[in-house]
Amino acid sequence: MKALLCDEPNTLTLIERERPADVPGQLRIRIAAIGICGTDYHIYGGNQPFLNYPRVMGHELSGYAMADSVDGRIAKGDLVVVNPYLTCGTCHACTIGKPNCCENIAVLGVHTDGGMCEEITVPEANLYPAKDLTPQAAAMVEFLAIGAHGVRRSALTEGSSALIVGAGPIGVGAALFAHIAGAAVTLRDTSSDRLALAKKIVPAATVELVSEAAPGVFDTVFDATGNINAMNAGLNFLAHGGSYVLLSVVKGDLNFADPEFHKRETTLIASRNALKVDFEHVVACMAKGLVPVDDIGTHRTTLEGAVSDLPKWAQDRGTVVKALIEVAA
């Protein structure tokens, strides 16, 4: 089968390799579409410090089941969404229903080869039916679930105000699902181009360049910048009694002035990956037409085309919300 291999930083090769072997408890999937994530761009650019090359990237995946699942949820030929988080099932986080922060988590396309290929085998429990979606929409579910998970953890209420700092794909997803939850949404970013793209996806949102004032009046603030300085500054935008949700994870130390943190009686929330309920929420919202998938999927290519397109998009991410690799119809 064909696979797109990142041999080393800044080197992509389309190769032929053996199809994956059948594994008990896993289902063989014919890949339909792959979303290109910021992580993939970082792997390509050599900015993932804990990754071993060569690596087949790709963890935002949709595909077709090549057999029936044992539990009967999935039939041969069904379109499915892949949850790419491979968990141990035995650590404390897993046993309390939080496998998204499993102590031994491995992610397809990062810690092990992923889905930028024609076929993959995945644990049956990591597959969710997506029969009402297109393959392209189904490949967007994973990244949108990250924003949806953060919104759910924030417990924001209808009619409240939410500020999302960072209008990249994760921030846009958080803004979209905060809006679906009934919040009045504001998006801030340093790029007017990213804000313009975000406004198409969440037209009800207010957009602000970072140079503009953002007073501390928001009930919930989400950081999706991936910038430690922005993460440290985000507390200033929060109203008293509010919640600060960190979708970003970076190397560095969080530094808040304790008087500012305490006088707001701030709830500080870290949000990592997503759970089955978040994937299912995204799928349901897509099926209802609440997610403008055509505006989110801004760029498309093939496995062959990705050899040249992925490096190009890595250098011009300001005009890309979500690029997709289409593999099988």
Side-chain angles (χ1 to χ4, degrees):
M1 69 172 183
K2 292 184 176 66
L4 185 64
L5 188 70
C6 188
D7 303 270
E8 60 185 9
N10 302 305
T11 304
L12 295 177
T13 308
L14 189 66
I15 64 168
E16 288 285 339
R17 62 161 44 178
E18 293 293 322
R19 296 182 185 276
D22 289 323
V23 178
Q26 300 198 9
L27 207 60
R28 185 187 295 273
I29 302 300
R30 180 166 59 95
I31 295 295
I34 308 145
I36 302 176
C37 175
T39 299
D40 300 318
Y41 294 123
H42 290 153
I43 292 170
Y44 169 74
N47 299 316
Q48 282 291 114
F50 306 112
L51 182 127
N52 295 319
Y53 296 89
R55 176 65 71 225
V56 174
M57 301 179 291
H59 62 273
E60 299 178 5
L61 309 172
S62 70
Y64 297 101
M66 299 179 70
D68 298 342
S69 65
V70 172
D71 62 12
R73 292 181 305 115
I74 298 165
K76 182 178 180 179
D78 282 355
L79 180 68
V80 295
V81 173
V82 175
N83 178 337
Y85 319 133
L86 307 178
T87 59
C88 70
T90 58
C91 72
H92 177 70
C94 286
T95 58
I96 63 170
K98 299 189 71 172
N100 59 305
C101 53
C102 169
E103 296 171 22
N104 305 297
I105 200 166
V107 181
L108 290 173
V110 181
H111 305 101
T112 186
D113 280 350
M116 288 191 184
C117 56
E118 293 181 308
E119 289 183 17
I120 192 171
T121 56
V122 181
E124 288 190 7
N126 287 58
L127 300 172
Y128 311 136
K131 63 180 180 180
D132 295 323
L133 306 186
T134 66
Q136 294 77 18
M140 300 180 202
V141 169
E142 189 273 339
F143 96 86
L144 290 171
I146 292 173
H149 180 70
V151 169
R152 185 171 60 82
R153 278 183 53 72
S154 76
L156 60 77
T157 57
E158 186 173 358
S160 65
S161 59
L163 172 67
I164 292 85
V165 186
I170 299 300
V172 168
L176 178 62
F177 282 92
H179 170 66
I180 289 171
V185 173
T186 299
L187 265 161
R188 299 189 85 222
D189 201 275
T190 58
S191 167
S192 58
D193 289 338
R194 281 196 295 268
L195 288 172
L197 289 170
K199 185 69 173 175
K200 291 181 64 178
I201 296 164
V202 195
T206 300
V207 294
E208 299 176 347
L209 282 169
V210 164
S211 59
E212 299 176 10
V217 297
F218 295 95
D219 297 307
T220 310
V221 175
F222 298 86
D223 179 88
T225 63
N227 181 293
I228 192 63
N229 294 321
M231 293 166 73
N232 285 330
L235 179 67
N236 298 324
F237 308 139
L238 191 67
H240 285 225
S243 296
Y244 187 24
V245 184
L246 300 178
L247 300 172
S248 298
V249 56
V250 297
K251 286 187 175 181
D253 296 327
L254 291 170
N255 292 293
F256 305 135
D258 185 62
E260 292 298 321
F261 185 79
H262 264 84
K263 76 181 184 181
R264 289 169 169 79
E265 197 176 49
T266 303
T267 300
L268 181 63
I269 301 170
S271 183
R272 185 181 183 193
N273 299 327
L275 291 168
K276 180 174 183 281
V277 64
D278 305 305
F279 281 79
E280 291 175 341
H281 179 50
V282 174
V283 169
C285 288
M286 284 181 163
K288 293 176 183 176
L290 299 177
V291 179
V293 294
D294 290 338
D295 291 325
I296 296 172
T298 51
H299 296 67
R300 297 186 183 186
T301 189
T302 62
L303 279 174
E304 293 83 355
V307 174
S308 57
D309 287 334
L310 192 153
K312 178 177 63 180
W313 294 331
Q315 299 301 315
D316 188 27
R317 292 172 61 189
T319 63
V320 179
V321 178
K322 182 55 59 177
L324 296 164
I325 301 173
E326 297 174 321
V327 182

